[in-house]
Amino acid sequence: MPKAASTLAACIAMALATPAQAEDWSLVIHGGAGTIQRDAMTPEKDAEIRAALDAALEAGSAVLREGGSSLDAVTAAINILEDDPNFNAGRGAVFTWDETNSLDASIMRGDTLAAGAVAGASTTRHPIDLARKVMEESPHVLLSGEGADQFAREQGLEQVDPSFFFTQERYDALVRFKAHAMQEQQTSQIDVDYKFGTVGAVAMDQSGVITAGTSTGGMTGKRWGRIGDSPIIGAGTYANASCGVSATGTGEIFIRLAVAYRICAGSAWAETPEPVASVREEAIAALMGEVNNQTKTNADLAINAVGELGGSGGVIFLSSDGAPGWSFDTPGMYRGSATSDGEKVVAIYGDEE
């Protein structure tokens, strides 16, 4: 590579990996997407969900405000959502066909590309903590089933009786799902309960490190050990030095499109990406703005692609400037963001900013 091009590439890489200012931080969260509409939501439930999202934002923000890591912030925020029965993760997870709760989670840090994930856990209270332990304390990326819970016990993570995850609302959704299936109607989990309650968070700390995490109970009525996108690195969760993504939606399609990875891959969705080396060195600042804007464009293109294959859902993301964002094609998405400049957003419906 010519010296000038090499220098340019190095400058771009540095700019992508460095936050705008040393003490900047940001956090974006989601609690799932789907048919979430005002006329189907009581004022009490609306307030309850907003309070839960706000609590998760505060938990993560408190870590970042004190100079803590994005890894700690993501786990703190997701822990709150995993314990709230309004969301399909941890307590309040949906039921499998066999009337059990099967929990999936993943986490990834962008500076090292270290990642950990778990699928099919059933006794570990906080699956996101287990995913983090897989990343930090094992030689593996993904553990599943009883082995995952065994590893959790060995690591001293809190264990609970499977009944801890039970909620009547989720069980009733399974009963409705089975009733449709037994009548041999053309139905799916979406027809019965069109809401992806997966939770996730993406954070950038004061050192500019981005971390992304996702936790879910999967699909109502899932069978045969089905695993969706949430524990799959690159599908439901991904982070690198300049981007982080957490997804919720039709898992099989998010896997097929490697949605989270491709959003962070810059020009992966573009038909004719512009070669970075062709940009003059004095245009680096403008290029950085374009890269950050491209993250939003890539997210929109990703959700469009999911829709074209018959799926639906949404994503949250951060890019190298720390600006939080989201994209979804459903009537609503539980979501929120907070930044070091004091801006905070909590939203539910599609017409909210």
Side-chain angles (χ1 to χ4, degrees):
M1 177 184 294
K3 183 176 181 180
S6 178
T7 300
L8 175 59
C11 290
I12 290 172
M14 182 178 298
L16 284 172
T18 304
Q21 296 183 22
E23 296 183 357
D24 286 350
W25 57 263
S26 55
L27 172 68
V28 59
I29 65 172
H30 73 83
T35 303
I36 303 168
Q37 298 172 311
R38 283 187 174 85
D39 58 6
M41 185 89 70
T42 66
E44 293 76 15
K45 180 60 71 173
D46 181 296
E48 188 176 308
I49 290 172
R50 290 181 191 273
L53 293 170
D54 187 74
L57 281 175
E58 182 51 38
S61 295
V63 173
L64 297 169
R65 196 180 296 122
E66 296 300 317
S69 70
S70 56
L71 189 62
D72 286 343
V74 164
T75 53
I78 292 179
N79 281 169
I80 297 294
L81 299 175
E82 285 178 330
D83 274 347
D84 193 305
N86 284 301
F87 307 101
N88 175 22
R91 183 167 179 263
V94 300
F95 281 83
T96 70
W97 183 269
D98 296 322
E99 303 186 2
T100 62
N101 302 111
S102 181
L103 311 173
D104 306 336
S106 63
I107 196 164
M108 185 172 188
R109 53 183 297 168
D111 57 337
T112 63
L113 300 184
V118 56
S122 61
T123 62
T124 302
R125 177 173 178 173
H126 289 296
I128 193 66
D129 291 350
L130 178 49
R132 179 172 175 174
K133 284 292 187 182
V134 173
M135 178 180 74
E136 295 178 327
E137 304 296 339
S138 87
H140 308 300
V141 170
L142 174 61
L143 300 182
S144 66
E146 173 54 32
D149 284 321
Q150 177 184 342
F151 179 73
R153 292 191 292 271
E154 292 174 1
Q155 293 298 313
L157 294 180
E158 182 178 358
Q159 300 294 291
V160 295
D161 187 90
S163 62
F164 172 83
F165 303 110
F166 176 93
T167 59
Q168 192 64 49
E169 179 183 358
R170 301 299 191 186
Y171 185 77
D172 290 345
L174 175 67
V175 171
R176 294 194 302 272
F177 177 86
K178 283 190 168 183
H180 281 265
M182 295 301 185
Q183 293 169 14
E184 297 183 349
Q185 297 181 9
Q186 292 295 316
T187 188
S188 69
Q189 177 263 348
I190 294 175
D191 296 320
V192 174
D193 189 17
Y194 184 26
K195 183 172 65 177
F196 308 107
T198 295
V199 307
V202 185
M204 185 182 76
D205 57 34
Q206 294 184 31
S207 297
V209 176
I210 296 174
T211 297
T214 310
S215 182
T216 189
M219 295 175 64
T220 297
K222 62 184 180 180
R223 305 177 75 174
W224 312 298
R226 178 264 185 187
I227 297 170
D229 64 303
S230 295
I232 306 300
I233 300 300
T237 303
Y238 193 77
N240 60 25
S242 60
C243 174
V245 172
S246 174
T248 176
T250 312
E252 282 71 12
I253 295 177
F254 277 72
I255 292 172
R256 289 160 59 190
L257 291 173
V259 164
Y261 170 77
R262 294 181 70 179
I263 290 172
C264 286
S267 60
W269 295 97
E271 294 181 0
T272 56
E274 180 181 2
V276 170
S278 69
V279 183
R280 293 180 303 169
E281 194 160 347
E282 58 267 29
I284 289 178
L287 175 63
M288 291 307 99
E290 292 176 6
V291 168
N292 294 329
N293 291 336
Q294 188 65 38
T295 306
K296 169 59 174 172
T297 300
N298 287 344
D300 291 342
L301 289 170
I303 295 303
N304 287 341
V306 169
E308 289 173 359
L309 289 182
S312 187
V315 295
I316 56 171
F317 56 85
L318 291 178
S319 51
S320 58
D321 63 354
W326 40 68
S327 180
F328 56 96
D329 63 359
T330 53
M333 180 177 181
Y334 300 138
R335 61 201 187 276
S337 65
T339 64
S340 52
D341 61 12
E343 292 187 7
K344 180 187 280 189
V345 175
V346 172
I348 293 178
Y349 312 109
D351 59 3
E352 294 183 85
E353 292 296 329

